[in-house]
Each structure stands twice: as structure tokens, then as C-alpha cells.
Amino acid sequence: VVIFGNIYFYRHLLITSLRKRLPNVDIRVYGTPDRHVRSLRREYEIFPPIYGEHKMNIIRSAAVVVNNLHFAEVDSANNKFFEIIGCGGLILNENNPEMSRLLKDELEFLLWENVEELSDKILHLLSNVEFRSSLQRKLIELRNAEDWTYKNAVSTILTRIGK
């Protein structure tokens, strides 16, 4: 299980809770702790931030990549959502109305509301390789159908700014 990005206090609390609920699961954390988290005593190691091809390889090789949303992102899909799916990773994403719009039908399984539900879904995916692979294939099909690329994202942003 991989979690990456800036390690701010809310993400720290999520990681701490997950590790308590899943003591036998290897949870790898990559990123930079913010000033509040740096001063805390942590029960987990934070590996250096990941970039480029190294990031893509970590995302692809992880059984599951957890994406929680920053408070400023609670009504949208963040960049990390598209990065993970774009790299071919299997994402478990914090739910919000935009996520429910993007991940429908069987892919709704990949949305979580709280750490208990997230923990249960991690265990389910880790113990069901065939189900995990099926969801991963469906994400790739969705990505390809929607053509989620940086080129299209920049085009959409520029078009909306121009209006």
C-alpha cells in the first residue's frame, strides 16, 4: 500500500490510523512532512518524495495507492487522482460528489468515506488479486475512454479561463 504527497497533519492522522488498524500491512509513505508533522513523534517512516519514472514505477507496482483529499479539494478531483490512474495504478480515493461522478458502477468500490471503510477495502483488495486486477483494468479503460492526459487538461483549463 502506497501513500504519497505532502504529509500534512490530516494525512498524518490518516496514516497513523491506518497503521493501527492494519499492523501487518506494508504501508509505504513517500513525501515531505510539513512543519507540524516534522515536530511530531511518528510511528512510521517517510521515504523521500517520488518523481518521474520512479514515481510511475512505485504507483504501478503498488497493490493499492491511497489518495485522501486536502480540505481545499473536498469538492473536486485532485491531480493525484489522474496521476495514479494515468500511471496504471489502483487507487482507493476519498469520496466526494465529483469522485462519485467519475467512478461509477463497479468502480464505486474504490471510494471510501472513513478510515474503517478504507481499512476494510485495503484488506479486501490485498486478499483478492483477481478482483483487484479487474478493477485496475476498468480504471485503465476509463482513463483511455476519457482521454485523461495533461494535454487535454491544459486545453480544458485554458478554454475555461478564456470564457
Side-chain angles (χ1 to χ4, degrees):
V1 176
V2 167
I3 299 172
F4 69 91
N6 294 322
I7 313 301
Y8 47 84
F9 192 68
Y10 173 66
R11 186 167 285 152
H12 161 74
L13 293 176
L14 174 70
I15 294 164
T16 301
S17 296
L18 271 179
R19 290 183 53 78
K20 284 181 183 169
R21 293 182 63 81
L22 303 171
N24 298 321
V25 173
D26 181 16
I27 300 173
R28 294 286 175 118
V29 179
Y30 299 88
T32 303
D34 74 9
R35 62 186 171 90
H36 304 291
V37 175
R38 274 194 301 270
S39 64
L40 297 174
R41 186 175 163 277
R42 295 184 310 273
E43 300 291 325
Y44 60 91
E45 182 177 359
I46 300 175
F47 295 94
I50 50 177
Y51 303 101
E53 194 171 328
H54 180 57
K55 182 182 205 176
M56 181 185 67
N57 290 334
I58 287 173
I59 290 171
R60 281 186 178 171
S61 65
V64 177
V65 182
V66 174
N67 184 28
N68 70 297
L69 301 172
H70 186 275
F71 298 117
E73 302 165 332
V74 294
D75 289 331
S76 63
N78 62 4
N79 184 57
K80 195 182 302 181
F81 171 80
F82 296 101
E83 274 186 317
I84 294 165
I85 295 172
C87 289
L90 182 62
I91 190 171
L92 278 175
N93 206 94
E94 189 169 8
N95 197 9
N96 70 25
E98 183 65 10
M99 291 294 108
S100 295
R101 187 184 72 74
L102 293 169
L103 298 179
K104 299 174 189 162
D105 304 321
E106 302 103 312
L107 293 177
E108 285 182 81
F109 179 86
L110 301 173
L111 301 173
W112 52 273
E113 300 283 344
N114 54 54
V115 72
E116 293 80 15
E117 184 178 18
L118 174 59
S119 301
D120 291 345
K121 288 183 177 194
I122 287 171
L123 290 175
H124 184 74
L125 288 169
L126 292 178
S127 63
N128 292 282
V129 176
E130 194 171 304
F131 179 60
R132 192 169 75 222
S133 297
S134 168
L135 289 173
Q136 200 162 14
R137 281 191 303 277
K138 289 179 189 318
L139 280 175
I140 291 168
E141 289 169 11
L142 175 65
R143 175 199 69 197
N144 293 342
E146 296 293 329
D147 201 14
W148 287 337
T149 62
Y150 279 117
K151 180 180 177 183
N152 286 343
V154 169
S155 176
T156 300
I157 290 167
L158 293 176
T159 301
R160 288 184 182 170
I161 290 173
K163 289 184 179 181

